[in-house]
Amino acid sequence: MTTWSYSAIKEFRTCPRKYYASRVEKLYPFQQSAAAKYGNEVHEAAELYVRDGSPMPGNMVQYTTVLDKLAAIEGTKHCEYKMALTEDLEVCDFDDDGRWVRGIADLVIVNRNKAFVVDYKTGSDKYPDKDQLELMTLMVFAHFPEVIKVKAALVFLTRDNIFTEAYTRRKAAKQWKGWRSKIVELDKAFEHERWPANPNGLCRSWCPVEHCEYHGK
């Protein structure tokens, strides 16, 4: 059984060869960029601010306006909430050997039969990817059976911009079907050991797979 996450399936669909080299062969250990380091620091600070009321660092106080609005939303707040499901969509431990999919929501606010799901972003808001919101929402439906409606948001803190999407439980089965169809492609790649390159705009400067014929082009 293939285990996956949003970032994993996104990388596979972007380029199967890069996915194989980085996640299966593990040829390229993760190297954190300065931007990624700052993003992690912002996530940690936001968690402490919303959960405990800890002050934001001086270089992040500009984000308190939107964080205060999130903190003011009524409901039980779960910061950096870890979720994992089996292939039968049963809740399991995050590191369970039988997990099928897992992910971490930056903030989940549950108020009776409604929930608010937030993903903080510190990068560009030029191409907002709402697929991540859908997957997090589907996992929230599994973890909180009482929730029937979810409002999800990509909060671009450094851009002072928010993209939102609304979801209902009655559409969850259809949406899971769409995700399963994506995972079939990944399963087939493992089964047949086929990891073709997918030339794209990231080949020139963002791909570490130097032995690929499209690298740097």
Side-chain angles (χ1 to χ4, degrees):
M1 178 185 67
T2 304
T3 59
W4 60 285
S5 64
Y6 173 76
S7 60
I9 195 64
K10 182 178 180 180
E11 183 173 23
F12 171 75
R13 291 174 66 82
T14 299
C15 182
R17 182 171 295 173
K18 182 178 182 296
Y19 173 95
Y20 182 76
S22 61
R23 294 182 181 261
V24 181
E25 292 185 302
K26 300 185 185 302
L27 296 178
Y28 307 99
F30 175 72
Q31 294 183 345
Q32 190 178 58
S33 65
K37 182 176 183 294
Y38 178 71
N40 287 340
E41 291 171 350
V42 170
H43 277 70
E44 293 173 5
E47 176 186 5
L48 294 175
Y49 185 81
V50 174
R51 188 190 66 199
D52 305 327
S54 300
M56 293 289 284
N59 64 335
M60 301 179 193
V61 293
Q62 65 271 30
Y63 307 143
T64 58
T65 300
V66 65
L67 293 175
D68 284 340
K69 292 179 181 179
L70 294 174
I73 296 175
E74 186 176 354
T76 302
K77 295 172 180 65
H78 306 271
C79 297
E80 296 300 313
Y81 191 69
K82 294 182 177 181
M83 298 179 286
L85 302 174
T86 67
E87 193 169 6
D88 294 328
L89 304 185
E90 297 292 332
V91 174
C92 65
D93 289 338
F94 190 73
D95 293 317
D96 194 295
D97 290 339
R99 71 182 183 275
W100 179 59
V101 59
R102 69 180 183 179
I104 303 175
D106 292 335
L107 177 63
V108 178
I109 304 173
V110 179
N111 184 11
R112 298 181 182 180
N113 66 348
K114 297 179 181 179
F116 197 85
V117 179
V118 176
D119 189 76
Y120 303 126
K121 299 293 185 184
T122 54
S124 172
D125 59 352
K126 189 174 182 179
Y127 301 107
D129 187 352
K130 294 184 179 181
D131 284 350
Q132 185 177 12
L133 294 182
E134 182 180 276
L135 181 59
M136 289 297 102
T137 293
L138 290 172
M139 298 182 75
V140 165
F141 282 140
H143 279 254
F144 298 93
E146 72 275 19
V147 172
I148 60 174
K149 292 183 179 181
V150 170
K151 184 175 182 180
L154 294 173
V155 178
F156 289 87
L157 292 169
T158 58
R159 308 291 177 171
D160 193 24
N161 200 4
I162 300 175
F163 292 85
T164 62
E165 195 71 54
Y167 301 92
T168 60
R169 181 179 288 274
R170 62 185 177 83
K171 294 184 179 180
K174 181 178 180 180
Q175 289 165 335
W176 271 124
K177 186 176 181 180
W179 284 98
R180 287 185 185 277
S181 69
K182 296 175 184 179
I183 305 310
V184 166
E185 299 175 20
L186 181 57
D187 287 336
K188 288 181 178 179
F190 275 105
E191 180 182 357
H192 301 291
E193 297 185 354
R194 286 204 299 262
W195 307 95
N198 179 32
N200 59 75
L202 300 178
C203 297
R204 180 178 296 276
S205 57
W206 292 98
C207 183
V209 187
E210 296 180 354
H211 61 271
C212 177
E213 66 268 30
Y214 299 105
H215 183 266
K217 297 180 180 180

